Amino acid sequence: MISMLALVTLPSVLVLLVGLALVLARRRRLRSLTWLVAGALVMLLVAQVGSTAYLGYLFHMAFSMDTDGLIALSAWGDAIGTTVQRLDIAGLLLLVIAVFMGRRPVSADRADAESDLPSVGDSLSGGTR
């Protein structure tokens, strides 16, 4: 059962590790966003591994019939669950912030030049502006 839980978690952990490796490999191009994205990916990775480790240990306690340990561990369940959820939310929020921080505003000259281009609707109707 524990090996199945680890097997289910493995793809998401691999995706996070590959993402972290790509971010660190491209840190010169990403500049200041590198550490924000790396921190977000590490938060998501810790949340995923922590959640899996807690559930694995909980299953181990349940199958070994250690009721005292199971009661003590389940008392920590709310705290561990809340911490994992907060890490997930914080990691995703940091990723969203990094995406929007990487965008540069369009300058007024460039926006005017793009508005002079004919649109798809104009070419289909055969009309001009």
Side-chain angles (χ1 to χ4, degrees):
M1 183 60 136
I2 295 172
S3 61
M4 186 61 118
L5 184 64
L7 189 63
V8 168
T9 306
L10 188 63
S12 60
V13 169
L14 287 177
V15 166
L16 291 171
L17 287 174
V18 167
L20 187 61
L22 286 173
V23 164
L24 292 177
R26 296 176 182 241
R27 68 178 172 260
R28 286 190 181 140
R29 183 172 178 226
L30 295 173
R31 296 186 189 136
S32 63
L33 294 178
T34 300
W35 301 115
L36 188 64
V37 174
L41 291 174
V42 166
M43 281 183 182
L44 291 171
L45 188 62
V46 167
Q48 186 72 36
V49 170
S51 156
T52 303
Y54 172 72
L55 284 175
Y57 194 65
L58 197 63
F59 285 146
H60 174 71
M61 288 289 192
F63 288 126
S64 68
M65 301 299 178
D66 184 8
T67 55
D68 293 334
L70 189 60
I71 290 171
L73 188 62
S74 64
W76 284 92
D78 288 337
I80 292 172
T82 302
T83 303
V84 165
Q85 286 177 350
R86 287 184 180 174
L87 280 173
D88 275 336
I89 291 170
L92 289 174
L93 184 64
L94 282 177
L95 279 178
V96 168
I97 289 170
V99 165
F100 287 113
M101 280 181 62
R103 303 261 181 204
R104 290 189 176 86
V106 177
S107 66
D109 296 333
R110 187 171 173 198
D112 289 339
E114 288 177 0
S115 66
D116 291 339
L117 296 174
S119 67
V120 174
D122 291 338
S123 64
L124 291 177
S125 65
T128 60
R129 287 190 192 195

